[in-house]
Amino acid sequence: MFKSVTDSTGTLDILRDIDFSLLSKETVAIVGASGSGKSTLLSIIAGLDTPSSGTVRLAGQDLFALSEDARAALRAEKVGFVFQSFQLLGNLSALENVMLPLELAGRRDAAQAATDMLARVGLSQRLAHYPKVLSGGEQQRVALARAFVVQPALLLADEPTGSLDFATGEKVMALMFDLNRELGTTLVLVTHDRAMATRCQRAITIEAGCIV
């Protein structure tokens, strides 16, 4: 798989000759320096960005042979996301943020399932709180609850502790791996932190857009 962009100065190769498979329930770290192409690769795996050439298969489906709507539906069913910047909706409470993907999927038990997942991440007392009054660690735990509540086949985490202090980041990482084991999710973790990468079963190193 390749990804290039072209502007007035010419063509820039962001990713080159990327080829790997993920096993069910596997934990994989994608590591590399800033600007190496890690986040672009994660976006393409999710079907949020398109490769210049090549294919990405999720649950047997070629993502880029699907329409944009079909790709979004598959992503909603199969993929969870955790971002460095949390990406919570500020006008929704913690409970409403976690309920949202369930409601979009038409789940009638959205409120109960979201309540249970927030309890699992230790936020039973924060259900009605809005993101602006939650600490960074609490916001990331809400984000984890939102990602895992749909029990995704694949969880994509992009520098999930990058904006947290070390102690809080350690707690969030431990929680993420605990939930991953419990729910049998395949985890792909983008990080520049080699120590964090060693927690995964496998590491894929990206340098200048290539696997090394």
Side-chain angles (χ1 to χ4, degrees):
M1 182 262 290
F2 291 78
K3 175 67 176 181
S4 302
V5 293
T6 302
D7 62 17
S8 59
T9 63
T11 299
L12 173 65
D13 293 328
I14 298 174
L15 297 170
R16 293 178 290 156
D17 199 21
I18 301 293
D19 185 10
F20 64 90
S21 298
L22 301 171
L23 301 176
S24 177
K25 304 181 183 180
E26 187 178 23
T27 57
V28 177
I30 297 176
V31 297
S34 179
S36 60
K38 305 185 304 298
S39 293
T40 299
L41 177 56
L42 204 70
S43 292
I44 291 174
I45 292 172
L48 294 168
D49 196 358
T50 56
S52 301
S53 63
T55 59
V56 176
R57 291 189 174 276
L58 174 61
Q61 295 260 25
D62 180 350
L63 281 182
F64 302 105
L66 300 173
S67 69
E68 192 167 333
D69 286 347
R71 196 158 62 238
L74 182 64
R75 186 164 53 240
E77 179 186 353
K78 300 288 187 183
V79 183
F81 298 92
V82 181
F83 302 96
Q84 177 178 341
S85 56
F86 318 134
Q87 300 284 9
L88 301 178
L89 296 177
N91 62 330
L92 299 182
S93 68
L95 179 62
E96 290 165 340
N97 265 284
V98 179
M99 286 174 62
L100 185 60
L102 297 172
E103 290 177 324
L104 292 173
R107 288 268 298 269
R108 294 184 177 182
D109 64 337
Q112 187 59 56
T115 299
D116 292 345
M117 185 55 74
L118 282 164
R120 176 63 188 82
V121 301
L123 292 176
S124 291
Q125 307 306 313
R126 295 285 191 270
L127 302 184
H129 289 65
Y130 289 84
K132 65 182 180 182
V133 299
L134 298 174
S135 69
E138 287 172 334
Q139 289 185 64
Q140 196 59 298
R141 282 189 278 158
V142 174
L144 283 177
R146 183 183 58 188
F148 278 109
V149 75
V150 296
Q151 299 193 6
L154 174 65
L155 180 75
L156 304 174
D158 192 359
E159 301 281 6
T161 62
S163 59
L164 303 176
D165 64 77
F166 178 78
T168 304
E170 285 290 300
K171 292 176 182 176
V172 166
M173 285 300 298
L175 179 59
M176 184 169 69
F177 279 103
D178 285 348
L179 288 169
N180 186 70
R181 282 190 295 269
E182 287 176 22
L183 298 178
T185 299
T186 299
L187 171 66
V188 179
L189 168 68
V190 162
T191 183
H192 64 272
D193 185 339
R194 297 277 176 174
M196 189 180 296
T198 61
R199 299 186 182 192
C200 294
Q201 294 165 320
R202 179 162 60 113
I204 295 170
T205 301
I206 304 288
E207 287 184 9
C210 297
I211 293 176
V212 297

